[in-house]
Amino acid sequence: MRLLDLFSGIGGFHKGFEQAGYEFEWVGFSDIDKYASAVYKHRFPNAKELGDVAAIRPERDLPDHIDILCGGFPCQAFSMAGKRKGFDDTRGTLFFEIARILRYYIDIGKPIDYFVLENVKGLLSHDGGRTFAVIYGVLTDLGYTVECQLLNTKWVLPQNRERIYIVGHIGRGSRAKVFP
């Protein structure tokens, strides 16, 4: 399997997939924080560092097929703790880099099979729900079946933080539900 880990931080998604039993023959990761990238590279020395997501050119930087794309795209533009500028904040537009990469693989006839995205609870209510509706619409317009659920990390981590998880698979056919 091949994993593309965007906005990777220190590799939480990668580690979670490994703990769930996934094995990857190729992993590419992207983060602009040099310290997070250094930790990621230390934890996963065979992973390919891709740098800034906006600079990734799939035809040049990525393999011909990716099985799973994951990412916790920047939340500052949607968070209750931030200024909530949404798509008017450049960090808020970085979701569209995910869409750009997903679209590339669809256009070449090799769509990425699955994605797992994460963000703050405030994404759901930002701009009266319109921001989330745009994100959901972009993903479904690409041909993905999308599920989402708000989960509190207190069930798996020693912290109390609500996060929205957005999971998708290509196609409209039925598959087992991700969330109960």
Side-chain angles (χ1 to χ4, degrees):
M1 294 191 79
R2 296 175 183 165
L3 173 71
L4 179 57
D5 196 353
L6 302 176
F7 314 101
S8 59
I10 63 171
F13 273 117
H14 187 165
K15 186 67 173 173
F17 276 114
E18 279 188 348
Q19 288 177 336
Y22 287 84
E23 294 180 15
F24 298 105
E25 65 187 64
W26 182 90
V27 174
F29 73 99
S30 170
D31 203 290
I32 61 168
D33 184 288
K34 67 181 180 180
Y35 300 109
S37 293
V39 171
Y40 196 110
K41 193 69 177 167
H42 177 76
R43 293 175 81 191
F44 308 104
N46 295 325
K48 179 180 180 183
E49 187 171 1
L50 300 166
D52 185 345
V53 67
I56 294 173
R57 298 293 167 254
E59 68 281 358
R60 175 191 72 201
D61 302 323
L62 302 177
D64 66 344
H65 180 74
I66 292 173
D67 300 287
I68 302 171
L69 179 150
C70 59
F73 57 102
C75 64
Q76 298 91 331
F78 315 113
S79 174
M80 298 293 194
K83 294 181 180 175
R84 295 183 55 88
K85 290 186 175 183
F87 295 142
D88 291 331
D89 180 330
T90 55
R91 296 169 296 187
T93 64
L94 288 172
F95 160 77
F96 296 104
E97 295 298 329
I98 295 169
R100 175 181 63 86
I101 292 169
L102 290 170
R103 182 173 287 111
Y104 168 81
Y105 282 96
I106 289 166
D107 289 347
I108 66 166
K110 298 177 180 180
I112 295 174
D113 300 315
Y114 303 95
F115 65 77
V116 180
L117 307 175
E118 174 268 340
N119 212 286
V120 294
K121 175 183 178 180
L123 178 63
L124 292 171
S125 62
H126 183 268
D127 194 20
R130 287 182 284 281
T131 301
F132 186 75
V134 167
I135 290 170
Y136 188 88
V138 166
L139 296 170
T140 57
D141 287 349
L142 287 171
Y144 284 90
T145 296
V146 178
E147 290 183 58
C148 54
Q149 185 162 339
L150 189 65
L151 297 172
N152 194 322
T153 59
K154 72 181 180 181
W155 303 111
V156 293
L157 297 170
Q159 60 184 358
N160 186 22
R161 298 173 73 185
E162 291 181 295
R163 294 288 184 261
I164 181 72
Y165 287 88
I166 308 164
V167 178
H169 66 83
I170 194 67
R172 307 235 185 266
S174 64
R175 307 242 173 132
K177 286 281 191 193
V178 174
F179 299 111

